[in-house]
Amino acid sequence: MNKFYDALEIRSPQQREAALFAALPGQVAHAKSQAPAFAQILSGVDAASITTRAALARLPVTRKHELLERQSAERAQHLFGGFATQAFGTAMPRVFASPGPLYEPEGARPDYWRMARALHAAGFRSGELVHNCFSYHFVPAGSMMESGALALGCTVFPGGTGQTEQQAQAMAHMRPAGYIGTPSFLKLILEKSAELQLPLPSLKKALLSAEAFPPSLRNWFTERGVTGYQCYGTADLGLIAYETEAREGLVLDEGVIVEIVRPGTGDPVPEGEVGELVVTTLNPDYPLIRFGTGDLSAVLPGACPTGRTNARIKGWMGRADQTTKVRGMFVHPAQIAAIAARFPQVLRARLVVTGEMANDQMLLRVESTETSSGLAERLQDTVRELTKLRGEVELVAPGSLPNDGKVIEDARSYR
C-alpha cells in the first residue's frame, strides 16, 4: 500500500459513489441545521432525498462571489456569512483572509485541508524535511500544506514567500527532501542557488500549486534534478485534485463530490465537455454544498494508469468569470472597481495581466481626465493595498479602453 496513501484510492468507483452519497444526506442536513446560510439556501430541501447526482444537481449552486456578498452583509453577526458551523475556540484554531476580503476558517482536525494525499502522490514520505514556501501570512496556503505534511510524518521548515537568497541558503544548509510552493518561486530559488553556486543535491521533489505548471517548466525542473507534481485546491474547500506519476490529468480527492456544470448555471455537462467545477465537501466545519469555484475544467475518460480509481479532471483550464490568479493570489473584478472608486478622476479601469511563467505582470490601464504622475503613483499604492500585489499604472485618454465589458484581461502566455 506504500504506493497509495490509503485503500480509499483503489476502491471500486461503485463503492466510492455509494459511500459518498450515503454520507451526503447527513451533510446536507447538518449544513441546514448548523449553518444559517444553508438554512436559507436549502430551505424546503429534504436532505434525506439527496442520495444521487441527479438529486444533488437540483440544489442551487453557491458561487464564490455570493460567499463574499454574504460575508460582507452579515459580518457583524457571522464572520463567515453563516456558512461555518463552529465558533472561535479550540474547534477553530485559525482564521485566514483571502483578497476580497474573504475569511476562511481552519478546523482542529489533523490534515484539515486533506493535503497529505497529494503530498504522498508527489513522493513525500514520513521522516523527510519539507521546505514550505507557501505564504503563512493572511492566506491559508502555508498552513494547508504544513498540516498535510505533518499528517504524513514530515518535518516542515516554514520558509514562506520572498527572500530568495535566504531560501536558497536555508536549503543548502538543511538539505530538505522536497519543496512545496508555487512553481515560479521554485524556479527563482533554483536560479538564485545556481548564481550563488549553492548546490541543492537533496532537493528531489516538489508539490506545486496556485499557478499554471506547463510541461516546459516541468522539464526545466527535471533537468535540474527536481520532479514536480501539481495539485489543485482552494482556501474554501481544501484539496480537490492531485497529479500522479502517470501525468494524465489530476485525480479527484476522496473527500469531495465534484461536478462539471455549464458556466452560469448549475446544469452538469456531458463527460469531457469543459465547464465550471462545482464542489460539495464533506467537511462538517465548513459544509459547502455545490460550491462554484469559478474554475473551468473537464472530466477525463477512463481511470488513472497508477491504479487509482477516482475520476480525473484535466486540471485548471481558465476562469468561468474574470477573476484571475496572479502570482498565486486571486484578483477580483470587484477589487478593480474599488480601486477606481477611490479616485473621482478615474472614468474606467482595466487590469491587464501579461508575462510568461514565473514573470506575471499587472498593468492597470486607467481612463482619466487627469494625467499627472502623482495620480499614477497613488493608484499604484492603492493597487498594492487592495490586491496585495505590485502593479504598474498607465493613464490613458477617455474612450481609449475597449468597449467589451472586460475589467480584467488575462493576456499571459502559458507555452
Side-chain angles (χ1 to χ4, degrees), residues 267-318:
D267 303 330
V269 301
E271 183 176 296
E273 186 174 324
V274 176
E276 180 185 8
L277 275 159
V278 170
V279 181
T280 297
T281 174
L282 299 179
N283 176 2
D285 299 337
Y286 204 41
L288 297 177
I289 309 295
R290 297 206 87 201
F291 183 73
T293 63
D295 289 330
L296 296 175
S297 194
V299 172
L300 290 170
C304 180
T306 64
R308 293 172 175 85
T309 57
N310 209 341
R312 298 170 298 155
I313 58 174
K314 288 187 177 179
W316 186 81
M317 300 176 68

Side-chain angles (χ1 to χ4, degrees), residues 225-348:
V226 180
T227 302
Y229 293 90
Q230 60 185 316
C231 70
Y232 167 58
T234 75
D236 322 278
L237 300 159
L239 179 67
I240 297 173
Y242 58 96
E243 191 174 25
T244 72
E245 61 188 11
R247 305 285 190 188
E248 295 184 9
L250 306 181
V251 177
L252 297 182
D253 179 52
E254 298 293 330
V256 294
I257 299 171
V258 171
E259 305 166 90
I260 307 291
V261 308
R262 191 159 286 108
T265 77
D267 303 330
V269 301
E271 183 176 296
E273 186 174 324
V274 176
E276 180 185 8
L277 275 159
V278 170
V279 181
T280 297
T281 174
L282 299 179
N283 176 2
D285 299 337
Y286 204 41
L288 297 177
I289 309 295
R290 297 206 87 201
F291 183 73
T293 63
D295 289 330
L296 296 175
S297 194
V299 172
L300 290 170
C304 180
T306 64
R308 293 172 175 85
T309 57
N310 209 341
R312 298 170 298 155
I313 58 174
K314 288 187 177 179
W316 186 81
M317 300 176 68
R319 293 290 295 172
D321 60 19
Q322 292 181 39
T323 300
T324 302
K325 189 173 282 187
V326 182
R327 299 172 218 150
M329 301 283 282
F330 282 116
V331 180
H332 303 272
Q335 292 171 285
I336 307 308
I339 292 167
R342 293 193 180 186
F343 299 88
Q345 316 91 306
V346 171
L347 305 177
R348 288 201 298 160

Side-chain angles (χ1 to χ4, degrees), residues 326-396:
V326 182
R327 299 172 218 150
M329 301 283 282
F330 282 116
V331 180
H332 303 272
Q335 292 171 285
I336 307 308
I339 292 167
R342 293 193 180 186
F343 299 88
Q345 316 91 306
V346 171
L347 305 177
R348 288 201 298 160
R350 177 188 184 102
L351 185 71
V352 181
V353 185
T354 59
E356 297 180 352
M357 177 54 58
N359 190 31
D360 289 342
Q361 298 179 31
M362 297 198 315
L363 173 66
L364 185 67
R365 303 189 69 213
V366 174
E367 288 185 4
S368 175
T369 55
E370 179 184 330
T371 58
S372 70
S373 59
L375 174 60
E377 290 171 0
R378 295 198 302 276
L379 281 162
Q380 282 184 339
D381 291 342
T382 307
V383 169
R384 179 70 184 275
E385 177 187 349
L386 295 187
T387 69
K388 313 303 180 189
L389 296 164
R390 290 187 179 90
E392 300 296 319
V393 171
E394 178 188 7
L395 301 178
V396 300

